[in-house]
Each structure stands twice: as structure tokens, then as C-alpha cells.
Amino acid sequence: MNNNFVKGSWQEILDWAQNKSINMLHYCTGCGAIELPPTMTSRYDMSRFGIGPAATPRQADLLLVTGYLSTKTLRRLIYTYEQMQAPKFVVGFGSCTINGGMYWDSYNTIKQLDKYLPVEMYIAGCMPRPEAILDGLLKLKKMIANGEADGYKRYEENLDFYHQNQEAILGEVQRTQ
Amino acid sequence: MIDIIYRIGHFVLITVFSMALGLLFMGIARKIVARIQKRYGPPVYQPYLDVLKLFGKDAITHGFIFDFGAIMALGGVIATLFFIPLGSWQLYSMEGTVILVIYLLAIASLGMAMGTVGSGNPQASVGISRALMQMLGYELPYLVILFALIYRYQTSSVWGLMQAQAGSFLNWNLFAYPLMAAVAFVVLIGMMGKKPFDSMIAPSEIGSGPVVESGGKYLGMLLLQKSITIIIELALFVNLFLGGAENILIFTFKMLIVWVLATMFGSLFPRFRIEDGIKFFWKWPLGIAILQALYIII
């Protein structure tokens, strides 16, 4: 029991550090990418909240999916997500990731990101302004600090569900393990 | 027995102090770069949070060589640290420490190289090959300077070279041999991989180079390695050109000034291609260093 208490407090410390320091991998194939440079640079400097860009999936904590995903890019997104190290978080960005947005009847894009990867939260809008992005990321920070952002655990628990959905639309998906 | 315990305590103290100071310097640099770009910037203590977070994350290994490379990189810089006087803090003083330090710093780079070979990522290989090529570029002028100084003061220990500049500040090598100090400053920027010479880590081009496959705990370890490397390189510059210092506070202050200047220079320039960087090192710094060395010898 004492051991559990120590473990719990250590986890709280780690959650606190995680919420103060987030490295973001922005998956910029959608049009939402255009809103990120102003969010990162001088106008709306996001680094004051401890959020910075990451160069590779291995170093990243947060996967920002900026806009629509064609089935071709979904495969790359899944590979990217599986290369990241837990704790890892996914944020859907723009209405395309929620319900397909303006691509609602496209034959070649996915409509709901939630079916393929565990999404912590969405930032709605087409496109969301930098203020909205910052607001969303601050909410994500709060979720991480409270230990509510547990998408990577959900992914492990419901691995079959996610794999089934991924394979239904992509056919075969390479798995590392 | 007491002596050994005292010495081990000293080891640990110096290592922890350098890690903490290096991380603080990195935080200060991020703030300075942010202010130059008209941003507010992350808090100064951000690197500490980064390290804490990274050690709390999962990490994936790419085999024994990958692990060993990371440990060798960290061990190499910690070993180097013991031969450099920090103020009056000094563990080993003997003839030849200048050359020893240069050798040991290379071990850290070779450790990184081993780690990248273990990871098998082509971008990591490109990054580390650029880092080693750049080392070839800046070590030549640096060695010319060091040998000239060794010849001038007839001692090859860092402590001795520092003592030789005692007395007035006009005895500092910065004022006695300003050209040489300028070359050493350019070399310092190259050593630390700051902006004109950061083609080995180029994040948008080769995905941060040697550390491309290191995530979680490995990245934390390499961040600590980087922080100690910064302290070593700054301490070497302060000892050789700013006359060292009699206590650690003044020494830290001098290191901070050099670091701030290097950061400011670094944030002004765009990135050299690797071959242009080496050409630059072998043209201007090497030429000036040789001129100054000839002046000292003749």
C-alpha cells in the first residue's frame, strides 16, 4: 500500500512535468498546417507555455493531426503514432478530423479520426485560429496534469478495435512487434 | 580511505553541478533567442522540466550498441570534466591535460557515433558523419592555437596556462593575443554546434541528426551529456583566454558572458552547408591562427 502511494505521487510529479513540457509533432499534410507558423513564432508564441516543436516521432509527446487525412496518409500517421514513446497524445485539428468537414462525401478521406487512433481532444473550426489552438493546447495541458489524457492506455486496451478499423480501410498494416 | 571518499564526493559534486549549470545555461539561451526573435520564450527552468519529463517517458532500445553509445557519450564528457579547473575546483592537475581534454572530447563524439550505428537510421548516420567532419574542421585551428600557447608559456596543463595569465587582466590571453581569442571564439561556436555550424543537427533537414532515434530516457541522457559538454567547452575557453578565476562564482559569471555572446552570434546567422563550414574553418580561423602562432614563435 505504501508502495502504491509512492508510485502514485511519482506519477503525479511526472504528469506535472509532462504538462509543463510538451514536444509537438505537427503532421502537416492537411491545410491546417498554415495556422501553425503564426502559433509557433513571434505573434502567438506557444513556447511560453512549454510547448515546442519536435523533429522526429521518437522525441515527440503530442501528435497534432492538422486537417483531412486521405487513406494514404492515414497509414503514415499510424506508423508515426506507433513510433512515439508513451505517454503520447493525439489532438485532432479542424472539422475534417471530427466528421470529415468539407470532405464529408469524399471517397478517399477518412471521416472520423477517433476510429483509428485514440484522440484526446479536438480543436474544432475550419480552420481554427491560433487563439483557438492555444486555448485547446492549454486545455490539453490541464488534462495531462489531472491524469485524464490517457489515450495511449486506451489504445493498448482496445488494440483489437483500433487494428480492426485500421485494417478495414487500409488492408494490411505493417506492425513492428 | 578518507581521501578516496573525499575524492568520490568531489567527483559527484562537480558532475551534478555541471549538469545543473549546463541546463540553466540552455534555458537562458532559449530565452535570449526568443527575445531576439521578439518572442516571450519558455521559462528559464524549462530544460529541467524537459529532463524530468524525458526520464519519466518510455524508451525503446535498438540493441546493445545503441545503449552503449549513449553511456559512452555521457561517460566521455564526465571523464573530461575532471581534468578542467572550474575556478579553484580542480581534481587532477598534471602536464598534458590540454591534449588529454581534446582526446577525451573526441571519445564523447565517437560514443554518439556508435549509438547512431546501433540505431541504423540513415539520417542519424548523415548527422554524425557531419559532426565528425566538422570536428576535423575546427580542431585544426584549435590545436594550432593550443600548441602556440603551450610553446609561449612552456606548460601543457590547463591549470598552468590559467596561472600564467594571473595578475592584471591585461595579462589575459584575450588582450595579449586578441586574434587568437577571436579564432577560439569562432571555434567555440562550432564546437557547441551553434547556428552557422549546426548542419549536423539541422532539425528540418535531417530530423535532428545523431539523436533522431533517441526518445524518452535516451534523449534525457543525451540532454545531460549536452549540458556537460557546454560547461566543458566554456570552461576551457574561460581558462585559456579569460584567465580563469579564483572562485567558482566569478568563473560561472565569466562562462555566462561567453555563453550569452555565443548565443547571440549563433542566432544571427543562417546555417552553413557542411562543406562550406569546413572550408570556412580551414580558411579564416586556421590562417589567422597560423599567423598568430608564427608571431609568437618568432
Side-chain angles (χ1 to χ4, degrees):
Chain A
M1 180 173 169
N2 199 16
N3 196 15
N4 273 346
F5 174 72
V6 171
K7 239 181 178 173
S9 338
W10 179 236
Q11 191 55 47
E12 268 177 32
I13 293 174
L14 289 184
D15 282 345
W16 173 79
Q18 176 73 66
N19 111 73
K20 295 276 181 188
S21 152
I22 298 176
N23 281 25
M24 176 189 74
L25 189 74
H26 34 288
Y27 194 76
C28 288
T29 55
C31 31
I34 202 70
E35 297 292 339
L36 280 171
T39 318
M40 276 189 277
T41 51
S42 324
R43 182 70 178 86
Y44 304 92
D45 167 33
M46 67 159 55
S47 74
R48 63 204 153 114
F49 304 117
I51 306 170
T56 72
R58 295 265 186 236
Q59 303 165 4
D61 314 303
L62 167 63
L63 181 59
L64 199 56
V65 186
T66 58
Y68 71 92
L69 278 169
S70 68
T71 49
K72 195 173 168 185
T73 49
L74 178 65
R75 187 187 296 275
R76 271 73 199 177
L77 188 75
I78 290 166
Y79 293 160
T80 308
Y81 181 74
E82 292 191 342
Q83 278 181 44
M84 287 164 64
Q85 312 289 313
K88 49 189 175 180
F89 318 101
V90 181
V91 169
F93 181 108
S95 38
C96 298
T97 52
I98 302 173
N99 56 11
M102 63 185 287
Y103 300 99
W104 61 276
D105 61 348
S106 163
Y107 65 97
N108 201 24
T109 60
I110 58 156
K111 310 295 180 290
Q112 230 180 313
L113 180 59
D114 213 358
K115 279 162 74 178
Y116 309 98
L117 288 177
V119 179
E120 306 297 343
M121 56 175 290
Y122 293 103
I123 303 171
C126 183
M127 299 311 304
R129 298 255 319 147
E131 293 98 324
I133 302 170
L134 282 181
D135 187 50
L137 291 179
L138 287 181
K139 288 218 172 76
L140 178 74
K141 271 166 67 107
K142 235 174 248 166
M143 282 171 72
I144 294 172
N146 297 336
E148 291 160 8
D150 55 353
Y152 60 99
K153 286 180 200 153
R154 269 185 286 138
Y155 191 69
E156 263 169 37
E157 281 161 16
N158 308 319
L159 204 58
D160 287 340
F161 168 77
Y162 286 112
H163 280 189
Q164 233 171 16
N165 283 345
Q166 289 165 6
E167 273 154 25
I169 195 157
L170 296 176
E172 205 177 326
V173 180
Q174 269 181 29
R175 309 281 176 202
T176 40
Q177 263 91 31
Chain B
M1 189 62 196
I2 296 288
D3 186 51
I4 291 176
I5 293 173
Y6 174 75
R7 192 150 260 196
I8 290 175
H10 221 139
F11 274 176
V12 175
L13 194 65
I14 285 192
T15 312
V16 171
F17 172 79
S18 312
M19 280 178 186
L21 192 66
L23 290 177
L24 182 67
F25 277 15
M26 282 155 104
I28 291 171
R30 286 175 75 171
K31 201 82 182 169
I32 290 171
V33 171
R35 285 300 163 92
I36 287 174
Q37 296 172 352
K38 283 197 174 177
R39 288 190 289 123
Y40 185 75
V44 172
Y45 51 84
Q46 183 71 39
Y48 296 105
L49 295 174
D50 286 348
V51 169
L52 186 58
K53 173 202 80 175
L54 286 170
F55 277 107
K57 276 178 82 95
D58 285 1
I60 191 168
T61 178
H62 295 274
F64 173 70
I65 297 291
F66 187 70
D67 297 0
F68 188 74
I71 293 170
M72 188 169 153
L74 188 60
V77 288
I78 291 178
T80 320
L81 199 59
F82 299 142
F83 296 98
I84 295 189
L86 296 168
S88 54
W89 259 0
Q90 144 100 340
L91 283 177
Y92 295 111
S93 175
M94 49 190 167
E95 285 298 309
T97 40
V98 175
I99 296 162
L100 190 66
V101 163
I102 297 291
Y103 263 102
L104 284 175
L105 270 180
I107 284 188
S109 298
L110 292 177
M112 292 279 276
M114 263 175 79
T116 59
V117 169
S119 77
N121 188 315
Q123 287 180 326
S125 309
V126 170
I128 198 70
S129 79
R130 286 182 186 184
L132 293 178
M133 269 198 276
Q134 180 143 306
M135 209 160 104
L136 210 65
Y138 64 68
E139 282 211 330
L140 209 55
Y142 208 47
L143 281 178
V144 170
I145 293 176
L146 290 179
F147 285 135
L149 283 180
I150 290 170
Y151 180 83
R152 167 72 180 73
Y153 295 111
Q154 294 296 320
T155 171
S156 59
S157 76
V158 182
W159 182 257
L161 287 175
M162 182 188 121
Q163 289 292 310
Q165 307 167 50
S168 140
F169 69 88
L170 286 174
N171 292 350
W172 292 359
N173 282 332
L174 175 67
F175 298 108
Y177 305 108
L179 280 179
M180 209 182 228
V183 171
F185 188 70
V186 174
V187 167
L188 183 73
I189 293 177
M191 265 176 152
M192 296 192 296
K194 281 204 168 290
K195 207 121 216 193
F197 310 112
D198 71 337
S199 60
M200 69 271 215
I201 51 165
S204 50
E205 185 190 349
I206 50 171
S208 74
V211 296
V212 66
E213 279 291 328
S214 327
K217 296 181 173 71
Y218 291 90
L219 194 62
M221 217 146 111
L222 291 175
L223 209 59
L224 290 180
Q225 188 254 356
K226 177 81 184 154
S227 70
I228 299 182
T229 315
I230 288 172
I231 295 302
I232 288 172
E233 285 153 2
L234 288 173
L236 206 58
F237 186 85
V238 170
N239 276 324
L240 292 179
F241 292 95
L242 297 180
E246 55 266 33
N247 64 43
I248 191 72
L249 276 180
I250 300 175
F251 195 80
T252 308
F253 183 65
K254 283 180 178 175
M255 283 204 288
L256 182 63
I257 288 178
V258 177
W259 173 247
V260 168
L261 279 177
T263 307
M264 285 178 165
F265 269 88
S267 58
L268 285 181
F269 295 106
R271 184 181 299 142
F272 266 134
R273 287 170 60 125
I274 181 67
E275 59 264 37
D276 294 340
I278 292 176
K279 254 182 224 161
F280 173 82
F281 274 123
W282 282 0
K283 202 187 270 172
W284 296 108
L286 185 63
I288 296 172
I290 287 177
L291 276 184
Q292 185 83 71
L294 285 178
Y295 171 76
I296 287 176
I297 292 168
I298 300 166

